[in-house]
Amino acid sequence: GSSGYEAIAVVGSFTDVATIGTQSLQSRGDDDLIVAQLDAETGEVFWAEQLGGSGDDHGRGVAMGRQGEVFVTGWFNGQILVGSDVLTSAGFSDALLAAFDANGTPTWGHRAGGSTFDIGEDVVFVYPQIFPTLGEPAFSPAVALAGYVDGEITVSTPDGNLAQSAQGRDGFVAAYRAEVYEGVEAELREFSLIGGASQDAAYGVAATHSFGYAPPPDGLAGSLYAVTTGTFNSTASVFGAEVTSA
C-alpha cells in the first residue's frame, strides 16, 4: 500500500528467519506476520517489524495513512501482543487489525472472530468520513477492513459487544477510527456482513472520500463509501441489496 507519504508498505508472513534490509527477524511460532516500510524511490528499508506468538500469524493486507502510519490485516491463532494490547483468538483464527506509527512502533491491535475461521483480507485508509448508523459525523481518520467469517462473530463497538451470526461463511466490512497513538483503542464504527446461506467472502476493499485529506468545510460532511470485491454462491445480501449468482 502507498499514500502521499514518500514510502510504500508491504506485509506478509515468514517462518524461521526473515532478512529484510539489514534486519533479521526470528519467528516466534510456526509463522509470524511481517510488515515493512520502504523508500518509494530507492527501496531502502526504513523499518521492519513482526507480530506473532506460538501459533500461526499471517499478514494479508496493508494500507498507509497520511503521515506514514501503517495498518495491517490478516489473521492470527493463539495469542499475540500489539503495542500494549494482548489479543487472544476466540477460535482457530481471528481477523486482525494492527496499527503502527511512522517509525514502525506498534500502537494498537484489534481482533474480530468467533469459534472457527475468521480472516482479514484487505484494509484501506480513508479521511474524512461520517458513519451513518451512528447518526453524527466523526471527522477523524478511518480504516476500512474486509474479510470473511465462518459462523458467529463478536466485535466490540462503542456501545458494547455486537454479535452477528454468519450463515455459513460470510464476507464482512468493518470501519474503525484510525488514530495511531499508544494507548488509543481501535474503536469500531461500522460493521456489515455480506452473504447468504452459502459460502461467501470479501477479498478486497476500496474507499472514496469527498474532500481529500483535509476536514470538510463547515456544514458539509465527507462520506466513507466502502467498495468490496469477493465471491458468493446462490443469493447474498450486500449492504441491504439482494443479489443472485448466475
Side-chain angles (χ1 to χ4, degrees):
S2 64
S3 70
Y5 189 77
E6 296 299 322
I8 59 174
V10 294
V11 71
S13 59
F14 73 100
T15 304
D16 196 14
V17 177
T19 300
I20 181 166
T22 60
Q23 291 183 251
S24 290
L25 304 175
Q26 175 75 48
S27 65
R28 303 178 181 120
D30 295 330
D31 295 292
D32 276 12
L33 180 154
I34 185 171
V35 57
Q37 190 182 83
L38 298 81
D39 187 287
E41 294 185 357
T42 67
E44 175 190 356
V45 178
F46 292 147
W47 53 262
E49 292 289 338
Q50 69 190 101
L51 294 177
S54 60
D56 286 324
D57 311 292
H58 292 262
R60 305 293 281 266
V62 62
M64 282 184 58
R66 298 174 300 145
Q67 298 176 333
E69 62 266 49
V70 174
F71 304 90
V72 299
T73 190
W75 60 272
F76 74 100
N77 170 262
Q79 190 174 86
I80 61 171
L81 176 67
V82 185
S84 60
D85 294 329
V86 178
L87 307 180
T88 303
S89 63
F92 178 81
S93 67
D94 275 12
L96 169 70
L97 177 64
F100 298 77
D101 68 19
N103 296 316
T105 303
T107 57
W108 52 255
H110 187 77
R111 54 155 291 276
S115 60
T116 53
F117 298 88
D118 309 295
I119 307 291
E121 291 282 2
D122 197 17
V123 63
V124 65
F125 178 87
V126 62
Y127 179 84
Q129 73 328 109
I130 60 173
F131 300 96
T133 60
L134 295 183
E136 61 182 53
F139 298 125
S140 59
V143 284
L145 169 68
Y148 60 87
V149 299
D150 190 356
E152 186 174 273
I153 182 172
T154 301
V155 293
S156 297
T157 69
D159 298 324
N161 287 330
L162 168 69
Q164 295 199 30
S165 180
Q167 302 179 68
R169 188 183 72 188
D170 280 1
F172 74 87
V173 178
Y176 296 81
R177 293 184 65 176
E179 285 89 346
V180 179
Y181 304 105
E182 182 69 32
V184 172
E185 295 184 1
E187 183 179 289
L188 179 70
R189 307 308 300 271
E190 290 282 336
F191 183 82
S192 296
L193 288 174
I194 303 171
S198 297
Q199 302 299 302
D200 315 297
Y203 294 118
V205 62
T208 183
H209 42 78
S210 302
F211 299 102
Y213 290 130
D218 290 343
L220 297 177
S223 295
L224 170 64
Y225 300 96
V227 181
T228 64
T229 182
T231 61
F232 73 98
N233 182 274
S234 187
T235 299
S237 176
V238 182
F239 303 126
E242 295 293 327
V243 291
T244 303
S245 64

